Amino acid sequence: MSIARHMPPADPTPPTSLFARRALHGDRDGLSVLMARLRPLLLAQIRYRLGPSLLRQHDPEDVLHDAWLVAIPRLGDLEDEGRRATPTVLSFLGTTILHVVRNLARAAARQPTTATAEPAALATGVVTACVRRERDQRVQQAIAALTEPDRAALVLRGIEQQPLPAVARLLGISTEAAGKRYRRALVRLRRSLPRELVAELTAAATHRTPPSVVS
């Protein structure tokens, strides 16, 4: 009998934390995989933060592109926390996106009648290595299927890692209800997101204050 029959099957989906750690240490391939896995979640945050008005002026894909261009050179400055590498990177990206969107909002306020969507500069190198895949589309569809309050809880708690009382205040509900909305959002995404990434998002919610970035 072949020894290979007794070998356990290889894990087809290595943990996101593995690629997050590689990205922190400057590994290009690790960064590319990380970008692909986090992309649907970050696009959900961008759409939430842009709101209806700015969404008419800016493509979320362009905003994400710009956020990565800001974040990539600074990833090496983040502390590698081992298994908690994904929450570290996710919180940093969430904060970076907040700064990018706030800059867009300030620009729109200065030119309310002439603001138009500016196409992002042609991405080169690792930015273009992030390809869209079938799973990516499934995750985006699953996030879009969430109710607006559940999607907001996912963004505020899971990606931006805001304290639960702050999430509750922003949503106008009790702290208990905010926690339930976030947990419900994760449950509904379990069939679309890689199992270990759901675990990382759960861990992210209890992570320390997101690293700040300079706009």
Short mmCIF file of all heavy atoms in Angstrom, two decimals, residues 15-21 23-24 34 38 41-42 45 68 75 78-96 155-162 182 186 196-212:
data_model
loop_
_atom_site.label_atom_id
_atom_site.label_comp_id
_atom_site.label_asym_id
_atom_site.label_seq_id
_atom_site.Cartn_x
_atom_site.Cartn_y
_atom_site.Cartn_z
N PRO A 15 -3.27 29.91 6.04
CA PRO A 15 -3.84 31.02 6.82
C PRO A 15 -3.44 32.38 6.27
O PRO A 15 -2.32 32.58 5.80
CB PRO A 15 -3.23 30.80 8.22
CG PRO A 15 -2.86 29.36 8.26
CD PRO A 15 -2.48 29.00 6.86
N THR A 16 -4.39 33.31 6.34
CA THR A 16 -4.09 34.68 5.91
C THR A 16 -2.97 35.27 6.74
O THR A 16 -2.17 36.07 6.24
CB THR A 16 -5.36 35.54 6.04
OG1 THR A 16 -6.40 34.97 5.23
CG2 THR A 16 -5.11 36.97 5.58
N SER A 17 -2.90 34.88 8.02
CA SER A 17 -1.84 35.41 8.89
C SER A 17 -0.46 35.08 8.35
O SER A 17 0.50 35.84 8.54
CB SER A 17 -2.01 34.86 10.31
OG SER A 17 -1.99 33.44 10.29
N LEU A 18 -0.32 33.93 7.68
CA LEU A 18 0.96 33.55 7.09
C LEU A 18 1.40 34.58 6.06
O LEU A 18 2.55 35.04 6.06
CB LEU A 18 0.86 32.17 6.45
CG LEU A 18 2.06 31.71 5.61
CD1 LEU A 18 3.28 31.52 6.50
CD2 LEU A 18 1.72 30.41 4.87
N PHE A 19 0.47 34.98 5.19
CA PHE A 19 0.80 35.95 4.16
C PHE A 19 0.94 37.36 4.74
O PHE A 19 1.71 38.17 4.22
CB PHE A 19 -0.27 35.92 3.06
CG PHE A 19 -0.39 34.58 2.40
CD1 PHE A 19 -1.46 33.74 2.68
CD2 PHE A 19 0.59 34.13 1.54
CE1 PHE A 19 -1.57 32.50 2.08
CE2 PHE A 19 0.50 32.88 0.93
CZ PHE A 19 -0.57 32.06 1.21
N ALA A 20 0.19 37.64 5.82
CA ALA A 20 0.33 38.94 6.47
C ALA A 20 1.73 39.09 7.05
O ALA A 20 2.36 40.15 6.92
CB ALA A 20 -0.73 39.10 7.57
N ARG A 21 2.24 38.04 7.70
CA ARG A 21 3.60 38.10 8.25
C ARG A 21 4.62 38.27 7.14
O ARG A 21 5.58 39.03 7.28
CB ARG A 21 3.90 36.85 9.07
CG ARG A 21 3.20 36.82 10.42
CD ARG A 21 3.82 35.79 11.34
NE ARG A 21 3.70 34.43 10.83
CZ ARG A 21 2.62 33.65 11.03
NH1 ARG A 21 1.59 34.13 11.71
NH2 ARG A 21 2.58 32.43 10.55
N ALA A 23 4.13 39.68 4.28
CA ALA A 23 4.01 41.05 3.76
C ALA A 23 4.73 42.03 4.67
O ALA A 23 5.38 42.97 4.19
CB ALA A 23 2.54 41.43 3.63
N LEU A 24 4.62 41.84 5.97
CA LEU A 24 5.29 42.73 6.91
C LEU A 24 6.81 42.69 6.74
O LEU A 24 7.51 43.67 7.02
CB LEU A 24 4.94 42.36 8.35
CG LEU A 24 3.50 42.64 8.80
CD1 LEU A 24 3.31 42.21 10.25
CD2 LEU A 24 3.15 44.10 8.64
N LEU A 34 -2.18 38.55 0.19
CA LEU A 34 -2.88 39.30 1.23
C LEU A 34 -3.82 40.34 0.62
O LEU A 34 -4.97 40.49 1.06
CB LEU A 34 -1.87 40.00 2.15
CG LEU A 34 -2.46 40.78 3.32
CD1 LEU A 34 -3.09 39.84 4.34
CD2 LEU A 34 -1.39 41.64 3.99
N LEU A 38 -7.94 40.34 1.33
CA LEU A 38 -8.56 41.42 2.10
C LEU A 38 -9.38 42.36 1.23
O LEU A 38 -10.17 43.15 1.74
CB LEU A 38 -7.48 42.22 2.84
CG LEU A 38 -6.68 41.47 3.90
CD1 LEU A 38 -5.74 42.45 4.61
CD2 LEU A 38 -7.58 40.76 4.90
N LEU A 41 -13.25 42.91 1.78
CA LEU A 41 -13.55 43.56 3.06
C LEU A 41 -13.20 45.05 2.99
O LEU A 41 -13.96 45.89 3.48
CB LEU A 41 -12.76 42.89 4.18
CG LEU A 41 -13.10 41.43 4.46
CD1 LEU A 41 -12.12 40.84 5.47
CD2 LEU A 41 -14.53 41.29 4.96
N LEU A 42 -12.07 45.36 2.40
CA LEU A 42 -11.65 46.76 2.33
C LEU A 42 -12.56 47.55 1.39
O LEU A 42 -12.86 48.72 1.66
CB LEU A 42 -10.20 46.84 1.87
CG LEU A 42 -9.18 46.20 2.83
CD1 LEU A 42 -7.78 46.27 2.24
CD2 LEU A 42 -9.22 46.87 4.20
N GLN A 45 -15.56 48.53 3.34
CA GLN A 45 -15.29 49.69 4.18
C GLN A 45 -15.30 50.98 3.37
O GLN A 45 -15.86 51.99 3.80
CB GLN A 45 -13.93 49.54 4.87
CG GLN A 45 -13.62 50.72 5.80
CD GLN A 45 -12.15 50.88 6.09
OE1 GLN A 45 -11.31 50.23 5.45
NE2 GLN A 45 -11.82 51.72 7.05
N TRP A 68 -3.53 51.44 -0.90
CA TRP A 68 -2.40 50.50 -0.94
C TRP A 68 -1.10 51.23 -1.26
O TRP A 68 -0.04 50.90 -0.70
CB TRP A 68 -2.66 49.40 -1.98
CG TRP A 68 -3.42 48.23 -1.45
CD1 TRP A 68 -4.68 47.82 -1.83
CD2 TRP A 68 -3.00 47.30 -0.44
NE1 TRP A 68 -5.05 46.70 -1.12
CE2 TRP A 68 -4.04 46.36 -0.27
CE3 TRP A 68 -1.85 47.18 0.34
CZ2 TRP A 68 -3.96 45.31 0.65
CZ3 TRP A 68 -1.76 46.14 1.25
CH2 TRP A 68 -2.82 45.22 1.40
N LEU A 75 4.40 49.18 5.55
CA LEU A 75 4.11 47.90 6.19
C LEU A 75 5.31 47.41 7.01
O LEU A 75 5.14 46.80 8.06
CB LEU A 75 3.74 46.85 5.13
CG LEU A 75 2.36 46.99 4.49
CD1 LEU A 75 2.17 45.89 3.44
CD2 LEU A 75 1.25 46.92 5.53
N LEU A 78 5.43 48.23 10.74
CA LEU A 78 4.49 47.66 11.69
C LEU A 78 5.15 46.54 12.48
O LEU A 78 6.04 45.84 11.98
CB LEU A 78 3.26 47.12 10.97
CG LEU A 78 2.43 48.12 10.17
CD1 LEU A 78 1.23 47.43 9.55
CD2 LEU A 78 1.98 49.28 11.04
N GLU A 79 4.70 46.36 13.68
CA GLU A 79 5.23 45.30 14.54
C GLU A 79 4.64 43.95 14.16
O GLU A 79 3.42 43.81 14.03
CB GLU A 79 4.92 45.59 16.01
CG GLU A 79 5.48 44.56 16.97
CD GLU A 79 5.13 44.89 18.42
OE1 GLU A 79 4.54 45.96 18.66
OE2 GLU A 79 5.45 44.07 19.30
N ASP A 80 5.50 42.96 13.95
CA ASP A 80 5.05 41.61 13.63
C ASP A 80 4.63 40.92 14.92
O ASP A 80 5.44 40.66 15.79
CB ASP A 80 6.18 40.82 12.97
CG ASP A 80 5.73 39.42 12.53
OD1 ASP A 80 4.61 39.02 12.88
OD2 ASP A 80 6.51 38.75 11.83
N GLU A 81 3.31 40.65 15.05
CA GLU A 81 2.79 40.06 16.27
C GLU A 81 2.43 38.59 16.08
O GLU A 81 1.54 38.06 16.73
CB GLU A 81 1.56 40.85 16.75
CG GLU A 81 1.89 42.31 17.05
CD GLU A 81 0.71 43.06 17.63
OE1 GLU A 81 -0.31 42.42 17.94
OE2 GLU A 81 0.82 44.28 17.79
N GLY A 82 3.14 37.93 15.19
CA GLY A 82 2.92 36.50 15.02
C GLY A 82 1.54 36.21 14.49
O GLY A 82 1.15 36.69 13.44
N ARG A 83 0.78 35.41 15.22
CA ARG A 83 -0.55 35.01 14.75
C ARG A 83 -1.50 36.18 14.61
O ARG A 83 -2.51 36.08 13.96
CB ARG A 83 -1.14 33.96 15.70
CG ARG A 83 -0.42 32.61 15.64
CD ARG A 83 -1.18 31.58 16.44
NE ARG A 83 -0.59 30.26 16.30
CZ ARG A 83 -1.09 29.16 16.85
NH1 ARG A 83 -2.20 29.24 17.59
NH2 ARG A 83 -0.50 28.00 16.69
N ARG A 84 -1.18 37.28 15.25
CA ARG A 84 -2.05 38.44 15.19
C ARG A 84 -1.62 39.41 14.09
O ARG A 84 -1.97 40.58 14.11
CB ARG A 84 -2.09 39.14 16.54
CG ARG A 84 -2.59 38.23 17.65
CD ARG A 84 -2.73 38.98 18.97
NE ARG A 84 -3.81 39.95 18.92
CZ ARG A 84 -5.10 39.65 19.03
NH1 ARG A 84 -5.47 38.40 19.16
NH2 ARG A 84 -6.01 40.60 18.99
N ALA A 85 -0.85 38.90 13.13
CA ALA A 85 -0.38 39.76 12.05
C ALA A 85 -1.53 40.30 11.21
O ALA A 85 -1.50 41.45 10.78
CB ALA A 85 0.62 39.01 11.17
N THR A 86 -2.55 39.48 10.97
CA THR A 86 -3.66 39.95 10.15
C THR A 86 -4.41 41.10 10.79
O THR A 86 -4.67 42.12 10.13
CB THR A 86 -4.63 38.79 9.82
OG1 THR A 86 -3.91 37.77 9.14
CG2 THR A 86 -5.77 39.27 8.93
N PRO A 87 -4.79 41.02 12.07
CA PRO A 87 -5.43 42.19 12.69
C PRO A 87 -4.55 43.43 12.65
O PRO A 87 -5.05 44.54 12.46
CB PRO A 87 -5.68 41.72 14.14
CG PRO A 87 -5.79 40.25 14.03
CD PRO A 87 -4.80 39.86 12.97
N THR A 88 -3.24 43.26 12.80
CA THR A 88 -2.33 44.41 12.74
C THR A 88 -2.40 45.08 11.38
O THR A 88 -2.55 46.30 11.28
CB THR A 88 -0.88 43.96 13.02
OG1 THR A 88 -0.79 43.42 14.34
CG2 THR A 88 0.09 45.12 12.89
N VAL A 89 -2.29 44.28 10.32
CA VAL A 89 -2.31 44.83 8.97
C VAL A 89 -3.70 45.37 8.64
O VAL A 89 -3.84 46.45 8.05
CB VAL A 89 -1.90 43.75 7.94
CG1 VAL A 89 -2.07 44.28 6.53
CG2 VAL A 89 -0.46 43.31 8.18
N LEU A 90 -4.75 44.65 9.04
CA LEU A 90 -6.11 45.07 8.73
C LEU A 90 -6.45 46.40 9.38
O LEU A 90 -7.04 47.29 8.76
CB LEU A 90 -7.10 43.99 9.17
CG LEU A 90 -8.55 44.13 8.72
CD1 LEU A 90 -8.64 44.18 7.19
CD2 LEU A 90 -9.39 42.99 9.26
N SER A 91 -6.06 46.57 10.64
CA SER A 91 -6.35 47.82 11.32
C SER A 91 -5.56 48.98 10.69
O SER A 91 -6.07 50.09 10.57
CB SER A 91 -6.02 47.71 12.81
OG SER A 91 -4.63 47.48 13.01
N PHE A 92 -4.33 48.70 10.30
CA PHE A 92 -3.51 49.73 9.64
C PHE A 92 -4.13 50.15 8.31
O PHE A 92 -4.23 51.34 8.00
CB PHE A 92 -2.10 49.19 9.43
CG PHE A 92 -1.20 50.12 8.65
CD1 PHE A 92 -0.79 51.32 9.19
CD2 PHE A 92 -0.77 49.79 7.37
CE1 PHE A 92 0.03 52.19 8.48
CE2 PHE A 92 0.05 50.65 6.65
CZ PHE A 92 0.45 51.85 7.21
N LEU A 93 -4.58 49.18 7.53
CA LEU A 93 -5.22 49.49 6.25
C LEU A 93 -6.53 50.23 6.45
O LEU A 93 -6.87 51.15 5.70
CB LEU A 93 -5.46 48.20 5.47
CG LEU A 93 -4.21 47.52 4.91
CD1 LEU A 93 -4.55 46.13 4.40
CD2 LEU A 93 -3.59 48.36 3.81
N GLY A 94 -7.30 49.81 7.48
CA GLY A 94 -8.55 50.50 7.77
C GLY A 94 -8.34 51.96 8.10
O GLY A 94 -9.08 52.83 7.65
N THR A 95 -7.28 52.23 8.88
CA THR A 95 -6.97 53.61 9.23
C THR A 95 -6.48 54.39 8.01
O THR A 95 -6.82 55.56 7.82
CB THR A 95 -5.89 53.65 10.33
OG1 THR A 95 -6.32 52.87 11.45
CG2 THR A 95 -5.63 55.07 10.80
N THR A 96 -5.67 53.73 7.18
CA THR A 96 -5.19 54.37 5.95
C THR A 96 -6.36 54.76 5.06
O THR A 96 -6.41 55.87 4.50
CB THR A 96 -4.25 53.43 5.19
OG1 THR A 96 -3.15 53.06 6.04
CG2 THR A 96 -3.70 54.10 3.94
N VAL A 155 -17.85 46.64 9.27
CA VAL A 155 -16.81 47.62 8.94
C VAL A 155 -16.24 48.26 10.21
O VAL A 155 -15.03 48.30 10.42
CB VAL A 155 -17.38 48.71 8.00
CG1 VAL A 155 -16.40 49.87 7.88
CG2 VAL A 155 -17.67 48.12 6.63
N LEU A 156 -17.13 48.75 11.07
CA LEU A 156 -16.70 49.51 12.23
C LEU A 156 -15.96 48.64 13.25
O LEU A 156 -14.95 49.06 13.81
CB LEU A 156 -17.91 50.18 12.90
CG LEU A 156 -18.65 51.22 12.05
CD1 LEU A 156 -19.94 51.63 12.73
CD2 LEU A 156 -17.77 52.43 11.80
N ARG A 157 -16.49 47.45 13.47
CA ARG A 157 -15.92 46.58 14.51
C ARG A 157 -14.80 45.68 13.97
O ARG A 157 -13.72 45.60 14.54
CB ARG A 157 -17.03 45.71 15.11
CG ARG A 157 -16.59 44.83 16.26
CD ARG A 157 -16.16 45.63 17.45
NE ARG A 157 -16.02 44.79 18.63
CZ ARG A 157 -15.22 45.08 19.65
NH1 ARG A 157 -14.50 46.19 19.64
NH2 ARG A 157 -15.14 44.27 20.69
N GLY A 158 -15.06 45.02 12.83
CA GLY A 158 -14.11 44.04 12.34
C GLY A 158 -12.93 44.63 11.61
O GLY A 158 -11.81 44.16 11.78
N ILE A 159 -13.16 45.65 10.78
CA ILE A 159 -12.09 46.22 9.97
C ILE A 159 -11.44 47.41 10.67
O ILE A 159 -10.22 47.44 10.85
CB ILE A 159 -12.62 46.63 8.59
CG1 ILE A 159 -13.20 45.41 7.86
CG2 ILE A 159 -11.51 47.27 7.75
CD1 ILE A 159 -13.88 45.74 6.56
N GLU A 160 -12.25 48.38 11.08
CA GLU A 160 -11.68 49.55 11.75
C GLU A 160 -11.40 49.30 13.22
O GLU A 160 -10.70 50.08 13.86
CB GLU A 160 -12.63 50.74 11.58
CG GLU A 160 -12.80 51.13 10.11
CD GLU A 160 -13.72 52.31 9.92
OE1 GLU A 160 -14.21 52.88 10.94
OE2 GLU A 160 -13.97 52.69 8.76
N GLN A 161 -11.95 48.22 13.76
CA GLN A 161 -11.70 47.79 15.13
C GLN A 161 -12.02 48.86 16.18
O GLN A 161 -11.31 49.06 17.15
CB GLN A 161 -10.24 47.33 15.26
CG GLN A 161 -9.92 46.16 14.34
CD GLN A 161 -8.46 45.80 14.34
OE1 GLN A 161 -7.82 45.78 15.40
NE2 GLN A 161 -7.93 45.51 13.17
N GLN A 162 -13.13 49.54 15.95
CA GLN A 162 -13.57 50.53 16.92
C GLN A 162 -14.17 49.82 18.13
O GLN A 162 -14.73 48.73 18.01
CB GLN A 162 -14.61 51.46 16.29
CG GLN A 162 -14.07 52.29 15.14
CD GLN A 162 -14.97 53.46 14.82
OE1 GLN A 162 -15.59 54.05 15.71
NE2 GLN A 162 -15.05 53.82 13.54
N TYR A 182 -22.62 42.42 14.84
CA TYR A 182 -21.29 42.06 14.32
C TYR A 182 -21.14 40.54 14.24
O TYR A 182 -20.69 40.01 13.22
CB TYR A 182 -20.20 42.65 15.21
CG TYR A 182 -18.81 42.24 14.77
CD1 TYR A 182 -18.31 42.65 13.54
CD2 TYR A 182 -18.02 41.41 15.56
CE1 TYR A 182 -17.06 42.26 13.11
CE2 TYR A 182 -16.76 41.02 15.14
CZ TYR A 182 -16.28 41.45 13.92
OH TYR A 182 -15.04 41.06 13.49
N LEU A 186 -20.61 38.06 10.84
CA LEU A 186 -19.56 37.05 10.66
C LEU A 186 -20.17 35.67 10.37
O LEU A 186 -19.66 34.93 9.52
CB LEU A 186 -18.69 36.97 11.91
CG LEU A 186 -17.73 38.15 12.15
CD1 LEU A 186 -16.87 37.89 13.38
CD2 LEU A 186 -16.87 38.42 10.94
N GLU A 196 -10.46 30.50 8.35
CA GLU A 196 -9.46 31.10 9.22
C GLU A 196 -9.53 32.63 9.17
O GLU A 196 -9.19 33.30 10.14
CB GLU A 196 -8.06 30.60 8.85
CG GLU A 196 -7.69 30.68 7.39
CD GLU A 196 -7.32 32.07 6.95
OE1 GLU A 196 -6.83 32.84 7.79
OE2 GLU A 196 -7.54 32.39 5.77
N LEU A 197 -10.00 33.21 8.05
CA LEU A 197 -10.11 34.66 7.99
C LEU A 197 -11.25 35.15 8.88
O LEU A 197 -11.15 36.22 9.48
CB LEU A 197 -10.31 35.12 6.55
CG LEU A 197 -10.33 36.64 6.33
CD1 LEU A 197 -9.11 37.29 6.94
CD2 LEU A 197 -10.41 36.95 4.84
N VAL A 198 -12.32 34.36 8.99
CA VAL A 198 -13.39 34.70 9.94
C VAL A 198 -12.83 34.72 11.35
O VAL A 198 -13.13 35.61 12.15
CB VAL A 198 -14.56 33.70 9.83
CG1 VAL A 198 -15.59 33.97 10.92
CG2 VAL A 198 -15.22 33.79 8.46
N ALA A 199 -11.97 33.73 11.67
CA ALA A 199 -11.35 33.70 12.99
C ALA A 199 -10.46 34.92 13.19
O ALA A 199 -10.41 35.49 14.28
CB ALA A 199 -10.54 32.41 13.14
N GLU A 200 -9.75 35.33 12.14
CA GLU A 200 -8.89 36.51 12.24
C GLU A 200 -9.73 37.76 12.48
O GLU A 200 -9.35 38.64 13.25
CB GLU A 200 -8.08 36.67 10.95
CG GLU A 200 -7.10 35.56 10.69
CD GLU A 200 -5.77 35.79 11.37
OE1 GLU A 200 -5.64 36.77 12.12
OE2 GLU A 200 -4.86 34.97 11.15
N LEU A 201 -10.89 37.85 11.82
CA LEU A 201 -11.76 39.00 12.02
C LEU A 201 -12.29 39.04 13.44
O LEU A 201 -12.46 40.10 14.03
CB LEU A 201 -12.93 38.96 11.03
CG LEU A 201 -12.64 39.45 9.62
CD1 LEU A 201 -13.82 39.17 8.72
CD2 LEU A 201 -12.30 40.92 9.62
N THR A 202 -12.59 37.86 13.98
CA THR A 202 -13.04 37.79 15.37
C THR A 202 -11.95 38.29 16.31
O THR A 202 -12.19 39.04 17.25
CB THR A 202 -13.43 36.35 15.74
OG1 THR A 202 -14.44 35.90 14.82
CG2 THR A 202 -13.97 36.28 17.15
N ALA A 203 -10.71 37.88 16.02
CA ALA A 203 -9.58 38.33 16.83
C ALA A 203 -9.35 39.82 16.65
O ALA A 203 -9.00 40.53 17.59
CB ALA A 203 -8.32 37.55 16.45
N ALA A 204 -9.57 40.31 15.42
CA ALA A 204 -9.34 41.71 15.12
C ALA A 204 -10.22 42.61 15.98
O ALA A 204 -9.84 43.72 16.34
CB ALA A 204 -9.58 42.00 13.65
N ALA A 205 -11.41 42.12 16.31
CA ALA A 205 -12.36 42.94 17.08
C ALA A 205 -11.87 43.20 18.49
O ALA A 205 -12.31 44.14 19.15
CB ALA A 205 -13.71 42.25 17.13
N THR A 206 -10.94 42.39 18.99
CA THR A 206 -10.42 42.58 20.35
C THR A 206 -9.00 43.09 20.32
O THR A 206 -8.34 43.16 21.35
CB THR A 206 -10.45 41.25 21.12
OG1 THR A 206 -9.65 40.27 20.43
CG2 THR A 206 -11.86 40.73 21.25
N HIS A 207 -8.53 43.48 19.12
CA HIS A 207 -7.17 43.95 18.97
C HIS A 207 -7.02 45.35 19.54
O HIS A 207 -7.99 46.07 19.70
CB HIS A 207 -6.80 43.94 17.47
CG HIS A 207 -5.34 44.03 17.20
ND1 HIS A 207 -4.79 45.05 16.50
CD2 HIS A 207 -4.33 43.21 17.55
CE1 HIS A 207 -3.49 44.87 16.40
NE2 HIS A 207 -3.19 43.76 17.03
N ARG A 208 -5.79 45.74 19.80
CA ARG A 208 -5.54 47.06 20.37
C ARG A 208 -5.82 48.15 19.36
O ARG A 208 -6.12 47.89 18.20
CB ARG A 208 -4.10 47.16 20.87
CG ARG A 208 -3.04 46.92 19.82
CD ARG A 208 -1.67 46.84 20.50
NE ARG A 208 -0.64 46.39 19.58
CZ ARG A 208 0.03 47.19 18.77
NH1 ARG A 208 -0.24 48.47 18.73
NH2 ARG A 208 0.99 46.71 17.98
N THR A 209 -5.69 49.41 19.78
CA THR A 209 -6.01 50.54 18.93
C THR A 209 -5.23 50.47 17.63
O THR A 209 -4.03 50.21 17.62
CB THR A 209 -5.64 51.85 19.65
OG1 THR A 209 -6.35 51.90 20.89
CG2 THR A 209 -6.02 53.07 18.81
N PRO A 210 -5.90 50.68 16.48
CA PRO A 210 -5.23 50.59 15.18
C PRO A 210 -4.04 51.51 15.08
O PRO A 210 -4.06 52.63 15.61
CB PRO A 210 -6.32 50.99 14.17
CG PRO A 210 -7.60 50.74 14.89
CD PRO A 210 -7.31 51.01 16.34
N PRO A 211 -2.94 51.08 14.42
CA PRO A 211 -1.81 51.97 14.20
C PRO A 211 -2.23 53.18 13.39
O PRO A 211 -3.05 53.06 12.49
CB PRO A 211 -0.81 51.10 13.42
CG PRO A 211 -1.29 49.68 13.63
CD PRO A 211 -2.76 49.77 13.82
N SER A 212 -1.69 54.34 13.72
CA SER A 212 -2.08 55.54 13.00
C SER A 212 -1.19 55.75 11.80
O SER A 212 -0.10 55.20 11.70
CB SER A 212 -1.97 56.76 13.93
OG SER A 212 -0.63 56.92 14.37
#
